[in-house]
Every structure is written in C-alpha cells, then in structure tokens.
Amino acid sequence: MQTKYIFVTGGVVSSLGKGVSTASIGVLLRARGYRVTSVKIDPYINLDAGTMRPYEHGEVFVTADGAETDLDVGTYERFLGIDLARNNNITTGRIYKTVIEKERRGEYLSQTVQVIPHITDEIQERIRAAGKAVNAEIVLVEVGGTVGDIESLPFLEAIRQMRFNEGKENTLYLHVTLLPYLSTSEEFKTKPTQHSVANLRSVGVQADGLIVRSDTPMPEDMSKKIALFTNVEARDVFNAYNAEHVYAVPEILEQQGMGRFIEKKLELERVTRNIATWQEAFSILQKPDRTARIAIVGKYVAMPDAYISLMESLTHAGIAHRSTIDVTWINSEDCAEGDLSHLKQYDGILVPGGFGHRGIEGKIRVAGYARENNIPYLGICLGMQVAVIEFARNIVKLESANSSEFDDYTPHPVIGLMPEQLDVEGMGGTMRLGDWPMQIEKGTRLFDLYQPTGPDNIVTERHRHRYEVNPAYVEQLREHGLTISGVTPGMEGRGKGLVEAIEIAEHPFFVAVQSHPEFKSRLSKASPPFKGFVQAALEHQALNKNPLAAFEQGVANQNVTNQEPVKAEITELPKKDII
Ligand code: GLN
C-alpha cells in the first residue's frame, strides 16, 4: 500500500489541543487496523526540546532511543500505543543543521542552497523517512505553531508540495481552529476560523477538513456557515468541543464520522473499528469505584504540562484499579521547613524528576515524612535521589549528606556524577538518556510489580539524568535497611552495577526508581511502579478509614523480615563526589 499522509495544521491561537486531536485521529485509524506513525514538527530553531524550560514549554519527553522531544510525542505514544524515535520530531534547527552539513560535504556542489527547494526537500525527506522506518501505512504529521507564523512557512510549503508529489488520494489536510463564544452577544463567532482557513489557502493549502475547537458543542447550522466561507464541505467540519477528559476525544470525533471521512478521502478500505479500550477507560473516569488522593511535590507546580506523562501514568494506573486520581500539587519550596502534617491527608506522595537546587530541601523532608509516617511514596529520578539523601542523613546518620548537584562541598556525596559525565561540556543531549536496562532483585516489591520474565530479570525503562547513587555509599545504605531492588546490569564500561531502584521493606510502599517509567505507561498497560503505587494508595485509604485493619496491618508489617541484599556489582570506589 502506498503510504498516506495526514497533515494537521493549527490556526487562530496556540494551545488548541492539536496534539490530542492528531493523536485521537491516530486512535481511530489504529482501531481500524492501520499501521500508523506520527511526526511532530516544531518550527523553533532549537535542535531538540532538551534545553527548554519545562514550565514554559511543558515536559521534555524522552524516547527509547534517547531523543529529548516535544510533549506531543508522548501523547502520540500513549494514544497510538507505539514507541516513537528521534526522527519523529522535526525542528527547524535539525533541518538546517542537516542541510548545512550536506552543503559543507559538497552534496549541493555548484548550487545555491535555498529554502525552496533544499530546506523543503529535506523536510519532505524526513517525513517520508519516518514513515518508511516503521513501514507505516499512514503518517500523521502535526505542524506545530499557528498558520501565519513566519517560522512555519517552510513547513507549510513542504506539505503543500507533498500533495503534488504524493498524489491527492494520498494526502489529507486537516486544520484545527477555534470557535470562540461571545457571552455578550451570546453567539459563536466564525470569523477567526474563516481568517485562518484563508490564511492557510494563501500559502497554497486548501483544508480538506476542519476540526473546530469550542468550549461547548456547536449548534448544527454552524458547520454550514463555516463551510460557506472556507470551501470545506459542511459534513467535513468536525467539532471537538471541550471534553470532560481527553480520552473522550477519539469517540467525539468518531461519532461525527471522522474515521469514515478519512477513509473516503484517502481511498482506504473500511475496516471494522474497535475503540473499546478508550470507551471503557472513559466510562471508568466518569464513574470510578474509588478516588486516590495523591500529592505531587515538585517545582513546576504552576505548569501541569511539565509533568504530563506523569499525570497520564497516574491516570492509567488509576484505570487499572477502576479508580480516578485526585492530584494536589504541592510546591516543594513550601515544605523546606515547618510542620508537614498536612501531608497526612493524602493516600500517597509522589516526588517526580527535576533539576537544580531550588526546592530540594523540601523534597528531602517530604521523603522523610512519607517514610516515617508510612504514607505510600513513589520517587521518580530526582524523587529517588532525595529519598536516598534523606535515608543517608537520618538513618545512616551521615550528617549533611547531599547530591553534588546541590552541594559541591558536602562531606557525604551520596549522589554524584559518573566519570563520563565529568568531561561533558555542552548541555544538549548529554545526559544518560533513553532506554537502559534494570536488573530486578528477586524477593523485592519491585519484582512483584514488574514480574520480569527471562533468566536475568531485566526490564527496560527510559532515563534522563546525570547523577547517580554513589557506589561508595551503597553498602552503608544497605546495612541500615535500604533495599537496592534494581541495578544496571553489567554493560562493559557503561554504568555497571549502578543503583536503579530502592525500597524500604518495612514500609507499606516506599519505592523509588532512577528511571522515568512514566514515559512507557500506556492506557492498556499501566506502568508497574505507578500501578503498585496507586494500589498502595487505595489500600492506605481503606486502612485509614478502618483503624482496626490498620492496626493489624501494622503488626503484619513488623513481621516482614528484611530481604536479602542485592549483590550490586560496583566497578570502582569513587573519590569524593566523583563516581
Ligand atoms: N537532577 C537529577 C540528575 O540529573 C535528576 C534528573 C531527573 O529527575 N530527571 O541526575
């Protein structure tokens, strides 16, 4: 089958939810059995999202091959249930870098290198390559930014040319716009949509279909009016009104005939659809059996998009227990001193990943509070590092233990840099990134959660960090009761035996991992640590409602014997803060 391309552009304003619309279309196509992949185009000059602030731009999503990408790539992975790679995120920076490198190598010898055709050719080549890499039948291409932005122009020109090159029946243009409702005149306004479709036409792209975003469902006659002004047939105007939850969007679009529309335009055979998983998930979200109250203690609390994969993982884990998650964001800076007993009201505490010194003491204290008060705790990346620091300070009694990321002069750098990180000069793409294996120790909670198969009990999770638990302190930590439940298995010269996961055996649930399992969580396959955490939170909630059961649980916990320590293979002893 000839590869088909669906291009999604956006108009009027940014943050319209183009990523979710595109991903939802992917769900409908996947549900019909097509092999789908997707490409996110980000017209900024950065090579990748790795050096951008999460609280302005949202989360940096890490792919299995270690690319630091836009958060929409994460949405695609979760909605489509597939793994994407570096070549699924295209930026202006990457395109220009490649073209300039080709020019230096002499590949354009004798030519003047120009935006058209060299840059636009490179863009098309990359889009095609992303499809070829996985033998996709349909490639979804979302052009980031808004039509009319100067930096989007070469990309719009490239997708215009693609219809010319690939054929009309193999390309489809979908434009996402906004339909604002004016409360003063009590009506929906189509003018912004008219303008933005016209804007798109002015660069040679006539939209085949529209996805009109509105707060509430638009009246039926609206599509006729929009059709009149935009040259799009009324039945090809879809209304994505604000849903209770993003998981409802595929169904909303399907009910309006989106799947059929795409099949007709792209001359695809109709295949039976099956979006049962999404319908089921949505019905649980609407009518959950229970709700777990989770506190997330972090730095970017004002920008939830900075933790989008984390939130989705909690949602997936909740659904696996027919429950929803009620998240409270707590600014770690507010936890650095004073009473923390307000944390008692939560069923679980999660400390996510993060960088930099700000708010660190608060996170360390919160980890300690969860440990001492038997509140389920899940630590992700930095959340594991602070748990180790807290344990070192308060249980091993290593005064002022810290990470050398936060204190260069700490007498006890229980978290420090690996030798290969010491020589790193640049910032972009230089961390320990992407898929790394973790060997799980038998008899641990982590083992129960992952239930690894295969002789070596190895699982893979994605990483994005520079610092590691310092091997010089592992023995001491373990002697004082910290279970090392996962290590990086021997890989010649690559972080052999590094601590990947810890837990505390006597605690109802104190689990922390160096990786970011949230990047691999899927609706139909919740991430094991998240699933276990939510289960523990629900149990904690039930016990708190029933103090007698809580007492019995306490007695049972006291009888749990300490587990055999993991035989982590540690390469060499570090000097001071160098691992
Ligand atoms: N700042 C820590 C490190 O670089 C943790 C990173 C993270 O949480 N992603 O190791």
Side-chain angles (χ1 to χ4, degrees):
M1 174 177 148
Q2 148 95 44
T3 310
K4 315 265 178 183
Y5 299 90
I6 299 178
F7 301 103
V8 184
T9 52
V12 188
V13 289
S14 57
S15 306
L16 269 181
K18 252 188 323 192
V20 170
S21 302
T22 310
S24 299
I25 290 169
V27 168
L28 302 182
L29 295 169
R30 290 269 292 164
R32 286 169 161 79
Y34 297 112
R35 261 195 319 281
V36 184
T37 191
S38 58
V39 173
K40 173 72 197 289
I41 291 176
D42 284 307
Y44 47 68
I45 315 242
N46 305 53
L47 277 189
D48 59 36
T51 53
M52 287 189 273
R53 279 205 193 111
Y55 51 86
E56 270 173 29
H57 195 79
E59 164 187 282
V60 176
F61 184 81
V62 182
T63 54
D65 63 351
E68 298 175 284
T69 68
D70 184 82
L71 61 82
D72 283 326
V73 174
T75 305
Y76 302 152
E77 282 208 1
R78 285 186 290 271
F79 273 58
L80 301 179
I82 54 174
D83 280 3
L84 296 173
R86 188 176 302 276
N87 60 7
N88 295 93
N89 196 184
I90 301 177
T91 67
T92 296
R94 211 162 270 291
I95 297 286
Y96 272 79
K97 184 166 184 276
T98 314
V99 170
I100 291 168
E101 281 166 1
K102 282 187 181 170
E103 187 273 335
R104 290 291 84 183
R105 284 199 300 272
E107 288 184 30
Y108 306 116
L109 224 50
S110 83
Q111 296 175 31
T112 310
V113 181
Q114 293 178 299
V115 173
I116 304 172
H118 300 97
I119 295 293
T120 48
D121 279 356
E122 183 63 33
I123 296 168
Q124 294 182 60
E125 220 164 277
R126 283 194 175 238
I127 293 172
R128 284 191 202 101
K132 266 202 201 98
V134 290
N135 198 15
E137 292 165 303
I138 303 172
V139 184
L140 289 160
V141 183
E142 178 192 344
V143 184
T146 307
V147 169
D149 296 346
I150 292 176
E151 54 185 14
S152 313
L153 281 174
F155 294 103
L156 295 174
E157 170 59 14
I159 68 167
R160 184 193 71 78
Q161 290 179 22
M162 274 192 86
R163 169 159 285 183
F164 199 71
N165 295 331
E166 304 293 321
K168 190 163 193 299
E169 71 287 6
N170 298 320
T171 47
L172 181 73
Y173 298 118
L174 278 172
H175 189 57
V176 186
T177 72
L178 178 71
L179 187 71
Y181 182 81
L182 282 199
S183 51
T184 38
S185 55
E186 294 186 3
E187 56 182 346
F188 284 103
K189 289 294 188 188
T190 62
K191 196 68 85 188
T193 296
Q194 293 176 34
H195 279 300
S196 111
V197 177
N199 225 334
L200 188 61
R201 216 168 24 229
S202 74
V203 293
V205 176
Q206 165 64 48
D208 296 306
L210 300 179
I211 298 178
V212 178
R213 293 276 294 108
S214 58
D215 281 348
T216 52
M218 70 180 191
E220 237 166 64
D221 58 345
M222 242 336 109
S223 46
K224 282 201 201 90
K225 185 167 179 200
I226 293 171
L228 188 64
F229 288 105
T230 56
N231 261 358
V232 173
E233 286 195 49
R235 62 163 187 269
D236 301 340
V237 177
F238 299 88
N239 180 212
Y241 49 86
N242 280 357
E244 266 174 77
H245 196 280
V246 290
Y247 293 175
V249 180
E251 177 70 15
I252 289 173
L253 293 176
E254 182 62 20
Q255 273 170 9
Q256 297 172 45
M258 176 62 89
R260 275 200 313 283
F261 157 76
I262 293 174
E263 286 180 317
K264 200 179 82 203
K265 291 278 181 190
L266 292 179
E267 298 179 5
L268 294 165
E269 275 169 47
R270 190 176 303 172
V271 187
T272 324
R273 72 190 182 97
N274 176 9
I275 54 172
T277 323
W278 295 82
Q279 288 160 335
E280 160 89 352
F282 183 54
S283 75
I284 293 173
L285 291 172
Q286 277 180 314
K287 255 181 142 244
D289 288 353
R290 285 173 295 171
T291 297
R293 294 180 29 128
I294 304 293
I296 301 184
V297 183
K299 195 164 68 163
Y300 311 126
V301 287
M303 169 62 162
D305 259 6
Y307 299 112
I308 182 167
S309 293
L310 195 80
M311 296 295 285
E312 286 292 305
S313 304
L314 285 172
T315 304
H316 298 163
I319 287 170
H321 297 292
R322 304 198 65 82
S323 302
T324 45
I325 312 293
D326 176 10
V327 167
T328 303
W329 296 93
I330 293 180
N331 189 341
S332 50
E333 283 180 292
D334 299 337
C335 301
E337 47 194 40
D339 182 25
L340 290 182
S341 60
H342 59 93
L343 294 175
K344 264 219 168 94
Q345 60 183 304
Y346 301 106
D347 307 323
I349 296 175
L350 194 158
V351 175
F355 295 85
H357 183 266
R358 190 155 64 85
I360 225 57
E361 285 303 316
K363 290 182 191 174
I364 295 171
R365 284 188 77 224
V366 167
Y369 189 84
R371 179 179 59 73
E372 283 172 356
N373 292 280
N374 285 332
I375 304 173
Y377 177 88
L378 180 62
I380 304 286
C381 204
L382 182 62
M384 180 184 98
Q385 298 177 356
V386 294
V388 169
I389 295 169
E390 190 278 323
F391 194 90
R393 284 186 190 173
N394 298 320
I395 301 290
V396 191
K397 303 286 181 216
L398 298 172
E399 214 179 301
S400 307
N402 214 329
S403 162
S404 54
E405 181 180 5
F406 315 124
D407 180 2
D408 280 337
Y409 303 102
T410 170
H412 296 294
V414 288
I415 311 288
L417 277 184
M418 295 183 284
E420 61 228 56
Q421 284 291 340
L422 282 173
D423 302 328
V424 166
E425 279 173 8
M427 286 302 270
T430 53
M431 282 183 264
R432 188 188 195 217
L433 287 166
D435 266 358
W436 282 83
M438 160 163 79
Q439 186 160 31
I440 304 184
E441 184 62 13
K442 272 208 184 97
T444 60
R445 190 180 293 272
L446 203 69
F447 193 92
D448 284 347
L449 297 178
Y450 277 93
Q451 302 193 353
T453 47
D456 297 326
N457 304 325
I458 288 174
V459 300
T460 304
E461 290 289 6
R462 297 186 196 168
H463 290 63
R464 182 174 189 250
H465 64 116
R466 255 181 244 290
Y467 293 80
E468 303 282 353
V469 174
N470 188 338
Y473 290 93
V474 165
E475 216 38 67
Q476 255 174 301
L477 291 164
R478 194 186 276 147
E479 275 164 14
H480 285 80
L482 190 73
T483 302
I484 311 293
S485 47
V487 294
T488 318
M491 290 173 68
E492 227 36 67
R494 295 176 75 192
K496 206 173 177 186
L498 293 170
V499 173
E500 282 283 349
I502 59 150
E503 60 190 57
I504 295 174
E506 313 82 59
H507 193 282
F509 188 95
F510 197 102
V511 170
V513 289
Q514 184 58 75
S515 60
H516 288 273
E518 70 269 28
F519 292 139
K520 280 178 68 170
S521 183
R522 302 279 187 263
L523 180 55
S524 51
K525 199 172 184 302
S527 164
F530 283 87
K531 202 168 154 188
F533 173 58
V534 170
Q535 179 171 346
L538 291 167
E539 281 164 11
H540 183 78
Q541 184 185 67
L543 288 174
N544 275 357
K545 280 187 188 149
N546 183 348
L548 182 63
F551 173 75
E552 281 165 5
Q553 175 72 36
V555 172
N557 277 342
Q558 278 167 22
N559 296 335
V560 175
T561 47
N562 228 336
Q563 276 133 0
E564 270 280 294
V566 168
K567 284 165 228 65
E569 206 181 325
I570 288 158
T571 39
E572 70 220 48
L573 283 189
K575 304 184 217 67
K576 198 139 170 1
D577 64 336
I578 301 167
I579 295 175

